[in-house]
Amino acid sequence: MDYFVLSQPMAEVNRLAASAGLTTPDLGPLHAGVIRDATLERMMLLLAEQVQAGDAASSLAADGLRVSITGRLFSLADTPVPTAPKRAKLTGAALANVLELMHARLSEGVSLDELAVVAGVNPMHFGKLFKAATGEPPYAHLTRLRIEAAKRLLRDRPEWTIAAVAQDCGFFDQSHLSKHFKNLVGTTPAAWRDQA
């Protein structure tokens, strides 16, 4: 799973706080972004396992985990959540860092969240800021970089199969490369190689 969503009635949260002699903290700031906390992640994975098991003992364990998760959220609510500085545009240095990461990870891929962190901007706004800076969305730019890398390999490595070129440049397979290659270059990789 990439993320968890936990919903708990506020009355239950207040009851748990009162039973521990605590005032319910303001949990609102936790809703402002994605929470990345290794302890919370482990507890959520355990909760998912217990819920899936579905027996009485697992149900009891799940209840205990819900209480523990609520306690962890209380702790996190008392800790300032780091947020990326807000910017109206990507600075030259931020854009350079993003492009460097894209080049370095052509064959593996890179998520928008990772690119946003490198740029130092909120992931929710990264795509719009990137497009304003480059004239194209991040995925389109990354695809174009991959096609340019594929063209170099097709020219410089005639012994490589097109499938090997596709894999090295981060495409799922040969047909994935061919589709994007034809869209951007106007011909197939094999035809382009023959003309190069």
Side-chain angles (χ1 to χ4, degrees):
M1 289 187 204
D2 290 332
Y3 62 92
F4 289 100
V5 176
L6 176 67
S7 178
Q8 195 162 332
M10 205 58 208
E12 178 64 11
V13 172
N14 290 332
R15 186 191 67 73
L16 289 172
S19 69
L22 299 170
T23 304
T24 305
D26 178 14
L27 299 175
L30 296 179
H31 292 268
V34 175
I35 300 170
R36 299 207 184 276
D37 180 73
T39 302
L40 188 59
E41 182 179 333
R42 285 191 303 275
M43 287 191 279
M44 293 292 284
L45 287 169
L46 287 169
L47 177 61
E49 288 174 16
Q50 298 304 319
V51 169
Q52 275 186 323
D55 57 38
S58 297
S59 179
L60 181 61
D63 287 343
L65 283 164
R66 282 188 199 92
V67 171
S68 296
I69 289 168
T70 302
R72 183 65 183 162
L73 290 173
F74 283 12
S75 296
L76 293 171
D78 289 337
T79 306
V81 178
T83 57
K86 293 181 181 178
R87 295 191 180 131
K89 62 179 185 171
L90 290 180
T91 65
L95 183 59
N97 290 339
V98 168
L99 295 175
E100 182 180 334
L101 182 59
M102 282 182 163
H103 281 282
R105 302 264 300 273
L106 278 181
S107 63
E108 308 163 34
V110 61
S111 72
L112 285 179
D113 283 348
E114 290 173 295
L115 294 173
V117 168
V118 167
V121 299
N122 184 320
M124 301 283 289
H125 305 294
F126 174 73
K128 183 171 72 171
L129 295 174
F130 186 90
K131 186 172 182 179
T134 65
E136 59 189 346
Y139 179 76
H141 189 81
L142 184 60
T143 300
R144 194 168 51 74
L145 292 176
R146 287 176 169 162
I147 294 296
E148 291 304 316
K151 287 165 73 175
R152 283 191 298 277
L153 287 174
L154 288 167
R155 183 189 63 232
D156 299 343
R157 304 279 185 162
E159 72 279 7
W160 282 27
T161 65
I162 294 174
V165 170
Q167 183 179 8
D168 196 70
C169 295
F171 292 98
F172 296 121
D173 55 26
Q174 182 174 334
S175 67
H176 189 223
L177 166 62
S178 295
K179 173 187 163 199
H180 287 290
F181 200 96
K182 189 157 188 172
N183 285 345
L184 289 173
V185 181
T187 187
T188 66
W192 189 90
R193 175 183 262 171
D194 290 343
Q195 297 167 0

